[in-house]
Amino acid sequence: MPGISLLNNNVFSANVEPRRVIGSWILGFFFLLLLWAIDQWIADRFKNARPALTFTIQTLVNLILIIGFIHFVNLLDDLHINIHSTLILAFIKLALASLIILSIQATLASLAEKEDIQLANAELQNENLRTRFEVLKQQVNPHFLFNALGTLRIMIREKDDRAEPFILKLSDLYRQLLGKNTTQTVTLDEELGFLRSYIYMLQARFESLLHIDIDIWPDSLSLKIPAFSLQLLVENCIKHNIISSAKPLYIRIYQQQQDKIVIDNNLQTKPSADESSGIGLDNLTKRYELLQVRDGVTIQKTGTTFSVTLQLLEP
């Protein structure tokens, strides 16, 4: 601000005392601070108005203040500064200073608005991702219940005495599922705990016809995985493959790398598979995408085996 000479255009040539020069600078400096404060107040007061209207009001108010200030200083006899010959020049300099102030404030306001918009967009994007993730997770619940009830139906039809314990286990599992319904990921240790409970329920029906082997590295148990992903894959193995005394199903859950887990089974596809509900691998793939993990699900199929590799996530 002191770089703009407002009232001391001829003080040096008039041999004015330094204290009077300093007084002139200080007076101009505080007046520009006043302009800044008033312009900012107007901008805040009319923040919802059109920018052109706000700028017009600021300009008019600044011109009135500048004229009043020059008139006021001209009446200060104590300064002993003859500025009658430089009133126009002082007005021009003050007007330019006012324009600079308005430009700086407009730039700062624009940057702040841009930052607010970016922040709002980021929040909306995150909310959208959370919503989409929850939609995918909500698909898992009825999918799990539908398949479990299908198993229960068969057990009741066959008058299996284990139907009642199966119902109790199903109730406990579904309670766990609902309790974790708000989480996107769980630790591998938690997921394996839920999976073992689910396997216990499966063994009640299939007994020696179903073999599930789990071999996980202890160092990986703290890593994260999408909730219910292992249970969903085991469920798909049961759904799409023949399980009989002649063709028992073997499912392996193991690791070859610390940050990956593999689920494979011997391939014996049903000749007439149940109608797909559109859940399963597609669900898992989309959930990994929403977690911004590329290639989170890798599928390999040969003539004898079908395997799915899931990416484990850092805690």
Side-chain angles (χ1 to χ4, degrees), residues 159-226:
K159 297 181 180 181
D160 194 326
D161 293 337
R162 293 165 299 181
E164 184 175 351
F166 183 92
I167 294 174
L168 294 176
K169 196 64 178 179
L170 173 61
S171 175
D172 180 62
L173 281 173
Y174 206 72
R175 189 184 303 111
Q176 293 182 52
L177 189 147
L178 293 176
K180 297 178 181 179
N181 204 35
T182 58
T183 58
Q184 295 182 355
T185 60
V186 295
T187 64
L188 181 57
D189 193 29
E190 291 178 287
E191 179 69 9
L192 288 172
F194 181 82
L195 178 63
R196 288 188 176 98
S197 296
Y198 178 66
I199 291 173
Y200 175 87
M201 193 172 65
L202 292 176
Q203 295 289 1
R205 175 188 172 192
F206 295 106
E207 295 185 333
S208 62
L209 306 182
L210 175 65
H211 302 270
I212 300 179
D213 180 52
I214 300 177
D215 183 16
I216 299 299
W217 300 352
D219 292 344
S220 300
L221 293 177
S222 61
L223 297 178
K224 295 279 191 173
I225 193 170

Side-chain angles (χ1 to χ4, degrees), residues 207-278:
E207 295 185 333
S208 62
L209 306 182
L210 175 65
H211 302 270
I212 300 179
D213 180 52
I214 300 177
D215 183 16
I216 299 299
W217 300 352
D219 292 344
S220 300
L221 293 177
S222 61
L223 297 178
K224 295 279 191 173
I225 193 170
F228 316 117
S229 53
L230 296 182
Q231 175 265 327
L232 190 60
L233 291 176
V234 171
E235 204 171 6
N236 278 357
C237 293
I238 304 294
K239 180 179 179 181
H240 296 292
N241 289 278
I242 296 172
I243 305 178
S244 66
S245 56
K247 291 185 175 182
L249 183 65
Y250 294 88
I251 301 175
R252 291 193 307 152
I253 302 171
Y254 62 97
Q255 288 184 272
Q256 294 177 323
Q257 302 176 46
Q258 186 169 359
D259 62 343
K260 295 181 186 296
I261 186 168
V262 182
I263 302 91
D264 69 18
N265 63 275
N266 54 319
L267 190 62
Q268 40 198 36
T269 308
K270 292 180 180 178
S272 178
D274 297 338
E275 182 180 353
S276 175
S277 60

Side-chain angles (χ1 to χ4, degrees), residues 73 119 181 283:
V73 173
L119 180 61
N181 204 35
N283 180 288

